[in-house]
Amino acid sequence: MFRTLSPADPTEFSGKRAIVTGGSRGIGAAIVQRLVDGGASVVTTARTATDETPKAATFVQGDVGTTGGVRAFAAAALDRLGGVDIVVNNAAAARSHLGGIGTIPDEEWLDALDLNYLSAVRVTNALLPALHEAGAGSAIVNISSGSSLLPNGPMAHYAAAKAALNAYGKALAGELAPAGIRVATVLPGNVLTPGADRIRQTFADAGGVSLADTTAAVPLGRPGDPRDIAEAVAYLVSDRAQWVTGATLVVDGGELPIV
């Protein structure tokens, strides 16, 4: 069970303008809420809003899995905020193929790359002029996945896209460091979200186990809560992490082997 934390400092991100992709539910919604609670003005996007989408943020319907969708969203977000200081590339989706790598259709490899990797590249490129205008102290966080370090056949397309995102973040951090723009990558483990639960249920059904069994091996004794990831992001985009760039942070309760 996630332990309730002390309330966030409502001035921590005061005056900061944040853009979060995939913020309608799950990890994305938790990140949006954490930034809002810290005083940031936040614009988020997804294909549809949900009951989880934080009401205090501005929601812009869109599809960052396409070049046109990214351009439209970036323009709308900058119009509403007047600039940007924090970018969180969180949009993601995946579908498992229990038959293994050879059963993953070509179009799903392409879809996985578009949404789980290239969306972050395109969103970042669209916002780079505004980030440079904001100057030193601005930050980008890419949400990857623990599966990028420990992939399996049924999710190989997703893992490969996220592994590309890891490499991209490292390269981007080096390039933007002279401008004082920091870049970090967060790798969540088994976090309880609707999308991840659907995938875990598929594996549970195939293995004849319960959904709870799929997260029973987490060393810290529980699956992740979206707020666990949101707190990591809040640290990385804050001034507390002003000397942190190029970092890859695994947030998984100790489940992944040391790599």
Side-chain angles (χ1 to χ4, degrees):
M1 181 71 69
F2 182 84
R3 295 195 304 273
T4 301
L5 304 176
S6 300
D9 176 358
T11 67
E12 182 176 19
F13 301 119
S14 181
K16 296 291 186 179
R17 301 154 299 179
I19 292 175
V20 181
T21 66
S24 65
R25 62 179 185 170
I27 289 173
I31 292 169
V32 170
Q33 189 62 59
R34 180 61 180 82
L35 294 175
V36 167
D37 290 344
S41 299
V42 183
V43 172
T44 189
T45 189
R47 290 170 181 167
T48 57
T50 74
D51 291 342
E52 287 186 57
T53 309
K55 302 300 186 288
T58 299
F59 178 80
V60 176
Q61 190 277 331
D63 181 4
V64 295
T66 68
T67 301
V70 167
R71 288 176 183 154
F73 167 63
L78 291 175
D79 181 62
R80 285 162 172 77
L81 293 173
V84 64
D85 307 283
I86 297 167
V87 176
V88 182
N89 290 306
N90 171 72
R95 189 160 71 91
S96 60
H97 289 267
L98 297 181
I101 294 173
T103 67
I104 303 172
D106 281 359
E107 58 269 23
E108 285 201 35
W109 285 95
L110 295 172
D111 286 346
L113 287 169
D114 272 330
L115 185 56
N116 298 297
Y117 167 49
L118 291 174
S119 67
V121 175
R122 292 164 178 156
V123 168
T124 300
N125 285 344
L127 297 176
L128 270 180
L131 285 165
H132 278 289
E133 186 174 340
S138 52
I140 301 166
V141 174
N142 298 319
I143 307 300
S144 181
S145 169
S147 66
S148 65
L149 300 182
L150 196 65
N152 60 45
M155 298 286 291
H157 53 325
Y158 174 77
K162 290 301 191 181
L165 184 62
N166 298 350
Y168 167 70
K170 288 282 189 181
L172 188 65
E175 186 166 297
L176 297 183
I181 301 171
R182 298 182 296 103
V183 182
T185 304
V186 174
L187 280 61
N190 266 307
V191 179
L192 299 182
T193 67
D197 280 347
R198 281 198 300 272
I199 293 170
R200 279 190 290 267
Q201 188 66 63
T202 299
F203 285 106
D205 293 344
V209 299
S210 71
L211 182 61
D213 287 336
T214 64
T215 58
V218 177
L220 282 182
R222 66 169 175 86
D225 184 287
R227 291 169 291 182
D228 291 309
I229 310 306
E231 287 298 329
V233 171
Y235 164 70
L236 289 168
V237 301
S238 75
D239 289 341
R240 290 171 289 146
Q242 61 187 278
W243 207 52
V244 177
T245 196
T248 300
L249 177 61
V250 178
V251 186
D252 73 339
E255 190 171 11
L256 282 177
I258 296 173
V259 292

